[in-house]
Amino acid sequence: MWYNSIVMEDSIIRLEAELDAAATIQERINALNELAWSWRRDDMERASILSAEAIDLSQNKENFNPPYFKGIVAGMTAQAGISLYRDETEQSLTQSLETVALADTHKLITPLPRLLYVTTVAHIELGDLTNALEYALRQQTISEELDDQEGKAIGLISLTVLYTEQGDYENALNSSLLGVETFRALGDSYGVVLQLSNASEIYGKVGDYDNALKTALQCLDTYRYADSVHPRTEIITLQKIGEAYVGLQKYEKALSYLEESLSLAENAEHQSISTDVLLTLAKLHNTLNQPEKAIFYAQRAVDVATKHGHQLPLYRGHNILADSYRLLKNYEKALEHYTTFHDLKEMVFNDENRKKLRTLEVLHQTREAQKEAAYY
């Protein structure tokens, strides 16, 4: 585990040395962009300054005519990645789509694995799985053509999430575990932690709570020994541990980890994560026949979801509230929340089903095209 941190630190030192030793403007731009990409999670302000300088140098007519488009694309990719870690998802998507258009116009291939990964993640975060899949498949194909190991590794993250969303847990788990090994080989602690977290979630979805817990604890251990991992990962990992303990019916331990996760999420103002943890806590308190506590957590989740227009946690929250009031034998309130839950669920799932059907169609068409290409 220490190995991953050392490799990351050595990489930063090497890139800073390359920046100091840059003999040409182009070499300086390339070093600036590599450093910006490396710092995009851990020092977003510095990464933003570095990428902005790279873009300015690349489009300065005194340096290049025409502009150095590869430098511009790499700098814009770093900035789109920074926006993702700032939870500015719509801005990240806008930035990445503009950059894809620029790269395609000037037939730039080598920057695409990182750029298409950011574009894919932005689509996933916004719930657009159809377009996410199209960009993920393109990213995977180009990474293979370039034999880009980093590109392959980050592409596996996207595929893990997309397979999970489609309920293809076997391929999702295979992608996540392959991603763990690929990121370890690259010395990327963040990637290792992220894919371990994904694996834990998948084990939980198939009811393998022992492996869900084992993997989440391994994830937390890796996180706490690494120097370069985004704090959001700790919050999600604590949540995964809590959920695994719920599955194992070890409720006191579950409460401890979930409450710690919630505290960190709210302090960091991660609204989507805190809402999810609130709902998990509410459901757990209903299981423990503590409906008053369940209402306390579920109502907070509903309030946050209503404020931000998040339909999925909103319908889940009303469902939990209906169960809570049923346990209290307040059947009027229970019916009120169940009716709201039913109406929201129908609306959400009609939309989700349309998106999933389109995603499956794209996946089928892509596989058929791959088979045809292999035949010829």
Side-chain angles (χ1 to χ4, degrees), residues 261-312:
S261 175
L262 178 62
S263 176
L264 291 173
E266 290 185 330
N267 287 339
E269 297 184 349
H270 287 304
Q271 301 293 347
S272 60
I273 303 174
S274 61
T275 303
D276 200 35
V277 180
L278 284 166
L279 292 172
T280 302
L281 280 164
K283 190 173 181 180
L284 175 54
H285 280 295
N286 272 343
T287 300
L288 296 172
N289 199 28
Q290 298 170 343
E292 293 91 349
K293 289 184 178 180
I295 290 169
F296 171 74
Y297 287 114
Q299 190 60 58
R300 286 170 62 190
V302 165
D303 291 345
V304 173
T306 301
K307 179 180 178 182
H308 294 279
H310 297 157
Q311 298 299 314
L312 190 60

Side-chain angles (χ1 to χ4, degrees), residues 210 213 242 244-255 284:
D210 286 318
L213 178 60
Y245 276 125
V246 170
L248 293 168
Q249 299 183 3
K250 296 182 178 180
Y251 299 129
E252 290 304 316
K253 286 189 174 182
L255 285 170
L284 175 54

